[in-house]
Amino acid sequence: MNSYRFRQVFKENIGINNPVFVQILGICSTLAVTNVLRNTVVMCAGLVFVTGLSNLTVSLLRQYIPGRVRMMVETLIIASYVIIVDVVLKAFIPDISRQLGPYVGLIITNCIIMGRAEAFALSNPPGLSLVDGLTSGLGYSYVLLIIAFLRELLGTGSIWGVRVLGEWWINWNIMIMAPGAFFMLALFIWVVKGNFMKEKKAQGSAPAGAPQAVSTGGKS
Amino acid sequence: MSDRRKANKLRRSLFTIFFMFAVTFVFISVLSLIYVLTRDTIRLNESLVVKRAVLYVAGLEVPQSGIEADTLYQERVREVKDGQGTVLYYEILDAPGGSIQSYALPVPGAGLWGEIGSVVGVEKDLKTLTGIEFIKQNETPGLGGRITEGWFKEQFRGKRWPLEVVPEGDPTGDQEFQAITGATNTTNGVKGILNDRLAKAEQAIKAPE
Amino acid sequence: MTEGLFAFGVFFAAIFTNNILLTNYLGMCSFLAVSRELKTSVGLGMAVIFVMTCTSAINWLIYYYVLVRFDIVYLRYIAFIIVIAAFVQLVELVIERVSDVLYAALGIFLPLITVNCAILGAVLFMVIREYTFLSGLAYGAGSGIGWALAIIAMAGIRTKLNIRSKVPFGLTGAGITLIIAGIMALAFMGFAGMITIT
């Protein structure tokens, strides 16, 4: 196993093939908690853990999984790791666990994890799959951490619960609520796509990840 | 289909079934093991939630560590239960084994989505609040859910019953508390729950059972 | 408050004031991807309503009569997701045999729904809020309708957007959809005053 492959996987998952702003996958489960930075850190840690280990497990078992039950086995594996995260959180950081509520369980349906398992872990050796899982998780995490940072800062004037902006700052309540998250993510995608994806623009291709549905224009 | 192919197909199907069972069994065993190992810690944490709430509403400094919180609780709080073991109210002592300085009342109540479970602390006059803490709520996150924020809870310390609501940011008299902008229902729900509970506080404390 | 009235309140709220997509951010992946076309959005929306309502009911029963009774609540994620996946498979099989028309309309969306976070999300919220069976059912149905409403509205808006507006490159696709979703979420917040609890 040459380290070149590791580095390539790393670069891709963090940048060109980033799950969030390129593939637009898996935002559901974590976007809700991005109004508090601390909670986001915990969620992302959990997600990186699950993605990495489930990729590893699927890859280890890949030669034995019968075709017909492939998705069920993957789901079982992912759900198991999520349960582990949930139980550990409940035992060791209960107040954060209560704040995260059902969103920890929703890591199971996070498209990224299943996506990587199908696209990568089934056809790659365990070591590489583990790295792929971890880096996908990390690529996803840093986007959300930036969003969380901005949301908490603008919405409450504090970071990690510590007030950093003075009394003069009037909280942008909208940042704590749902629309704030949508706008922040859109802003992030706009900045990234507009500035860093000039090559895609030059080729005139549509964004990756979204289905190439034919728009039924005309009659409105 | 030839016999051999039939046999192969059967073997593959059997293997599929066997594999599913084996994998399921392995994973569930591991999970059960982890669960059993952490179950006590989790139960302890859950019981601590109420205890921490009682300490918080009494105005006491709540220790971070679960063990310290529990110790403090044992020293300063006395539970008064009814015949079936349900806690009716809590007596807060001014020192271990000392005399009663204030009370804490468990408060169930209707919010927008379901119960808002809270604990409210009252002085001996049963009309002045020492604090409030929310144990259970499923209000809209970012709106009604903000009742758990520090500023909202802290403002109740020293307020007197009956309570009225003023818009967020307005100055408050000692019988008024600030609403959460955009969460009128939840705020009014909290007001209703508190006023209701405090109206009956005398009965609850003077005449248990 | 009678249980029926509470259940109706939950139903109504799940569609408007606590919309599972616009307030709880669930079901975004398929929402972003499918909302380009109106017809497919309607199909997916219908399928989601059906699956959400039924799986809420089934999972409620499983939660209270199996998981709680045997103290295996910690396995709930596995139980729920398996129920959802199995249900969707079953429905697909049945529809395929029974009705070509129905299959053409709904059938293709069903596999997509299994991974739709909103389905599992609705079940988890239902369990956390400790709803009764009736309220749980109302919540599932309401959430489904709310999600369908959001995606159909979005599809309508995006269709118009394609014809009339020039979206900056950086925002095409997911970006502009998210902004529209944000504005829709703002609009839905306006419904908040409609529900009062006695």
Side-chain angles (χ1 to χ4, degrees):
Chain A
M1 193 88 39
N2 49 3
S3 70
Y4 170 70
R5 274 293 267 157
F6 282 101
R7 275 183 288 128
Q8 190 184 33
V9 164
F10 182 86
K11 244 179 26 174
E12 269 192 27
N13 282 337
I14 305 280
I16 323 178
N17 216 19
N18 184 293
V20 180
F21 53 80
V22 177
Q23 300 177 47
I24 322 286
L25 284 182
I27 348 178
C28 323
S29 44
T30 322
L31 203 57
V33 301
T34 50
N35 56 346
V36 178
L37 184 62
R38 191 186 54 172
N39 295 351
T40 312
V41 169
V42 173
M43 267 294 266
C44 289
L47 193 120
V48 170
F49 175 82
V50 174
T51 317
L53 284 185
S54 71
N55 254 25
L56 177 68
T57 314
V58 170
S59 178
L60 282 171
L61 291 174
R62 75 187 185 281
Q63 269 133 11
Y64 306 106
I65 305 179
R68 284 225 227 109
V69 290
R70 195 181 75 240
M71 295 211 99
M72 286 210 67
V73 173
E74 287 164 3
T75 309
L76 184 65
I77 295 176
I78 297 173
S80 302
Y81 284 118
V82 171
I83 293 184
I84 294 180
V85 170
D86 186 43
V87 168
V88 166
L89 283 182
K90 277 218 182 80
F92 298 111
I93 22 180
D95 15 274
I96 299 192
S97 166
R98 292 169 73 220
Q99 284 176 42
L100 292 178
Y103 289 103
V104 175
L106 289 172
I107 295 182
I108 302 176
T109 48
N110 190 310
C111 332
I112 294 182
I113 310 184
M114 181 74 85
R116 296 321 289 167
E118 285 272 296
F120 201 92
L122 278 182
S123 33
N124 280 287
L128 202 56
S129 297
L130 176 64
V131 171
D132 176 78
L134 292 175
T135 51
S136 296
L138 284 172
Y140 176 85
S141 298
Y142 87 83
V143 176
L144 283 145
L145 287 171
I146 295 180
I147 296 180
F149 179 81
L150 289 170
R151 278 185 79 192
E152 190 178 353
L153 182 65
L154 298 174
T156 59
S158 38
I159 310 254
W160 204 278
V162 177
R163 182 108 203 158
V164 288
L165 294 176
E167 287 301 318
W168 54 269
W169 176 259
I170 303 182
N171 292 333
W172 292 16
N173 270 346
I174 193 176
M175 282 294 147
I176 308 184
M177 304 189 266
F182 289 125
F183 293 144
M184 277 272 101
L185 184 58
L187 207 64
F188 191 95
I189 295 180
W190 191 5
V191 166
V192 171
K193 259 185 95 167
N195 289 323
F196 298 116
M197 306 243 168
K198 298 255 173 62
E199 329 87 59
K200 280 249 154 85
K201 186 178 182 180
Q203 291 167 19
S205 58
Q212 307 294 314
V214 174
S215 170
T216 53
K219 203 92 180 87
S220 54
Chain B
M1 201 184 300
S2 73
D3 278 336
R4 191 148 58 121
R5 282 182 62 185
K6 269 196 208 158
N8 272 339
K9 223 173 164 236
L10 182 65
R11 197 181 309 151
R12 242 178 302 154
S13 300
L14 279 177
F15 177 73
T16 305
I17 299 178
F18 164 74
F19 185 84
M20 279 307 300
F21 268 106
V23 165
T24 311
F25 180 76
V26 166
F27 274 94
I28 295 198
S29 307
V30 171
L31 288 175
S32 304
L33 183 68
I34 297 184
Y35 172 67
V36 165
L37 288 176
T38 52
R39 183 173 45 189
D40 290 330
T41 319
I42 294 181
R43 294 233 177 105
L44 178 68
N45 285 333
E46 281 168 15
S47 78
L48 275 178
V49 170
V50 178
K51 293 182 181 170
R52 281 182 196 271
V54 171
L55 293 174
Y56 176 78
V57 304
L60 297 171
E61 181 85 36
V62 188
Q64 264 286 59
S65 118
I67 311 206
E68 284 176 38
D70 199 46
T71 318
L72 184 60
Y73 181 86
Q74 305 291 355
E75 288 174 359
R76 303 285 297 270
V77 178
R78 202 159 57 198
E79 298 170 2
V80 176
K81 305 189 191 173
D82 69 3
Q84 281 93 37
T86 323
V87 179
L88 291 169
Y89 62 95
Y90 303 86
E91 294 170 344
I92 318 290
L93 311 170
D94 57 9
S99 50
I100 301 178
Q101 73 174 31
S102 64
Y103 297 97
L105 298 164
V107 186
L112 192 53
W113 298 115
E115 256 187 53
I116 295 185
S118 58
V119 179
V120 63
V122 286
E123 300 280 10
K124 284 196 284 201
D125 65 358
L126 302 183
K127 295 284 173 274
T128 314
L129 294 171
T130 59
I132 181 173
E133 174 69 283
F134 296 97
I135 307 183
K136 206 158 73 118
Q137 58 89 14
N138 288 304
E139 304 299 295
T140 317
L143 288 176
R146 299 182 65 198
I147 52 177
T148 53
E149 284 178 19
W151 69 271
F152 186 77
K153 295 185 300 190
E154 287 291 321
Q155 64 174 335
F156 286 94
R157 298 203 198 269
K159 299 287 180 183
R160 258 184 328 116
W161 172 84
L163 296 162
E164 275 306 325
V165 179
V166 300
E168 184 174 349
D170 279 10
T172 52
D174 67 347
Q175 288 195 286
E176 298 168 337
F177 70 95
Q178 289 183 18
I180 295 177
T181 321
T184 326
N185 284 312
T186 311
T187 314
N188 285 330
V190 170
K191 178 185 85 167
I193 295 169
L194 287 178
N195 283 340
D196 199 73
R197 194 66 171 109
L198 287 173
K200 305 188 185 134
E202 287 210 47
Q203 296 164 282
I205 293 187
K206 297 285 168 58
E209 233 112 13
Chain C
M1 163 177 296
T2 67
E3 195 196 317
L5 205 57
F6 184 75
F8 182 73
V10 167
F11 175 75
F12 198 76
I15 302 179
F16 295 110
T17 63
N18 202 220
N19 187 295
I20 200 161
L21 193 146
L22 297 173
T23 314
N24 286 312
Y25 314 83
L26 297 180
M28 299 268 300
C29 310
S30 19
F31 176 74
L32 291 177
V34 175
S35 58
R36 286 185 176 209
E37 260 201 58
L38 194 55
K39 246 177 43 169
T40 40
S41 298
V42 172
L44 186 59
M46 295 297 126
V48 164
I49 295 177
F50 177 61
V51 174
M52 224 184 244
T53 315
C54 297
T55 51
S56 293
I58 301 177
N59 276 321
W60 191 96
L61 293 170
I62 300 238
Y63 185 75
Y64 285 104
Y65 290 114
V66 177
L67 296 178
V68 170
R69 173 164 306 179
F70 297 113
D71 193 28
I72 39 174
V73 174
Y74 66 101
L75 289 179
R76 66 187 176 286
Y77 298 140
I78 293 187
F80 291 159
I81 197 84
I82 288 186
V83 166
I84 294 175
F87 178 78
V88 170
Q89 283 277 62
L90 190 68
V91 170
E92 201 182 340
L93 274 173
V94 167
I95 292 189
E96 206 177 337
R97 300 282 162 89
V98 165
S99 159
D100 277 338
V101 172
L102 211 52
Y103 187 71
L106 284 188
I108 13 171
F109 299 113
L110 291 175
L112 244 179
I113 292 184
T114 319
V115 285
N116 188 328
C117 358
I119 313 276
L120 182 61
V123 174
L124 290 179
F125 275 116
M126 171 186 77
V127 154
I128 283 191
R129 292 176 186 166
E130 296 178 347
Y131 283 145
T132 61
F133 184 75
L134 186 62
S135 298
L137 193 63
Y139 181 70
S143 294
I145 296 178
W147 195 89
L149 189 65
I151 197 176
I152 293 175
M154 177 63 78
I157 296 176
R158 281 181 84 176
T159 323
K160 287 246 164 114
L161 207 62
N162 274 334
I163 304 161
R164 295 168 196 273
S165 320
K166 198 165 185 308
V167 178
F169 172 71
L171 278 180
T172 48
I176 194 68
T177 313
L178 284 168
I179 294 193
I180 299 174
I183 298 178
M184 279 174 69
L186 271 176
F188 270 59
M189 275 167 60
F191 288 118
M194 289 175 78
I195 313 243
T196 42
I197 308 285
T198 51

